[in-house]
Amino acid sequence: MDLGIRGKRALVCAGSKGLGRGCAEALAEAGVDLVLNARGAEALETTAQAIRDRFNVAVTTVAGDITTEPGRAEVLAAAGAVDILVTNAGGPPPGMWSDWDREDFIRALDANMLTPIALMKALLPGMIAQGWGRVINITSASVRSPIGVLGLSNSARAGLTGYVAGTSRQVAPHGVTINNLLPGIHDTDRATALDSGVMQAQGIDRETARAQRMAGIPARRYGTAAEFGAACAFLASQHAGFMVGQNILLDGGAFNATV
Ligand code: NAP
């Protein structure tokens, strides 16, 4: 399918690895030029070069922490006007409800709620002015179904979801859509880190921890970054202009619901 976005320009945050990289690659495959961000400059450059070589698109890199004011300012200055924004950042650490204090919540809110909101606030006016734009926020399945040990994520991402629900309807008249992609377990470094948490908590090996987590997924496997990226590219495409304020769950059927 021709996604109809060849020659457009996207900012993909936290995109040197994992789900962000999956989104960057799928957009590049559709002919989209990229501004790519992550903190670690080396992995970022390696990913950027791999994308240039494979898809023949322009990739500008900006190394920096997207959850900080200076990091965002640098990324936004390099990006200029973009047609497509993919927001993403690392997820908060796991723990217990009794562990978290105000500072932990502020950090989680900064990373997973206020950062995407700040990026949208900066880039939506340009999209509105040109009458076309796409925002895809990488959130989490925890928005639909809470994950106890990820209470910081459950809370911060629920806040972002509420913001998107209202804001997406305010920008839709201008040809701009905002939607959220909700990953269930995907095979990335983040999933490996969470596997390690299960290993530690239960005193089991990695294979058993993964098998246990996969048993809770009707597809009986973890998702891939490529599958996730393909969904992102579709949301960014010309074909998704009538999808507004949706929360798309990619979880292999793990969330058990009729609708
Ligand atoms: P990942 O494989 O660990 O990759 C994270 C990417 O983000 C890396 O490129 C990392 O590069 C970059 N990054 C992290 N913090 C950053 C920051 N502050 N500023 C800029 N770049 C940053 O993680 P993932 O699995 O793709 O997860 C992406 C998001 O989806 C996370 O918020 C995660 O919580 C959420 N999620 C993932 C899953 C899953 O199963 N994978 C499920 C639900 C939700 P640097 O470290 O070099 O910055």
Side-chain angles (χ1 to χ4, degrees):
M1 183 192 286
D2 178 2
L3 297 183
I5 49 177
R6 183 165 297 279
K8 293 210 182 280
R9 185 174 155 85
L11 166 59
V12 180
C13 303
S16 67
K17 298 177 191 165
L19 304 181
R21 178 174 179 162
C23 294
E25 289 181 339
L27 288 169
E29 190 173 5
V32 174
D33 293 324
L34 302 174
V35 178
L36 199 61
N37 151 262
R39 290 166 306 181
E42 205 179 316
L44 180 62
E45 279 311 324
T46 305
T47 297
Q49 196 52 48
I51 291 175
R52 289 182 199 110
D53 292 345
R54 190 166 159 209
F55 301 110
N56 199 26
V57 295
V59 184
T60 305
T61 56
V62 192
D65 188 338
I66 198 68
T67 69
T68 67
E69 190 89 45
R72 269 195 306 279
E74 214 180 313
V75 169
L76 287 168
V82 299
D83 306 293
I84 299 161
L85 165 66
V86 180
T87 76
N88 187 27
M96 271 296 282
W97 61 269
S98 47
D99 297 337
W100 302 312
D101 58 24
R102 180 180 162 77
E103 286 315 307
D104 298 310
F105 277 101
I106 297 295
R107 267 193 297 277
L109 291 171
D110 259 340
N112 300 117
M113 178 184 172
L114 299 176
T115 289
I117 289 175
L119 291 165
M120 282 186 261
K121 197 171 170 204
L123 294 172
L124 283 171
M127 295 181 189
I128 289 168
Q130 69 178 8
W132 196 94
R134 298 282 186 265
V135 179
I136 297 102
N137 299 297
I138 300 181
T139 69
S140 172
S142 69
V143 167
R144 297 286 309 278
S145 176
I147 302 168
V149 295
L150 292 179
L152 294 171
S153 170
N154 300 339
S155 309
R157 297 188 200 277
L160 173 63
T161 305
Y163 174 87
V164 166
T167 306
S168 60
R169 272 112 183 149
Q170 291 179 304
V171 302
H174 307 284
V176 178
T177 70
I178 312 177
N179 292 287
N180 301 324
L181 277 179
L182 283 52
I185 303 175
H186 283 70
D187 219 345
T188 67
D189 290 355
R190 170 78 170 167
T192 305
L194 293 175
D195 289 343
S196 301
V198 173
M199 289 162 64
Q200 256 183 348
Q202 300 184 29
I204 54 179
D205 62 19
R206 182 165 303 281
E207 206 184 322
T208 311
R210 283 175 68 94
Q212 196 182 93
R213 297 222 291 156
M214 282 178 195
I217 305 172
R220 296 288 184 266
R221 64 176 177 87
Y222 291 0
T224 70
E227 290 170 314
F228 190 88
C232 175
F234 179 77
L235 284 179
S237 76
Q238 297 293 359
H239 311 296
F242 208 50
M243 291 180 72
V244 170
Q246 297 302 299
N247 289 281
I248 312 295
L249 196 55
L250 296 166
D251 71 345
F255 180 63
N256 191 34
T258 303
V259 289

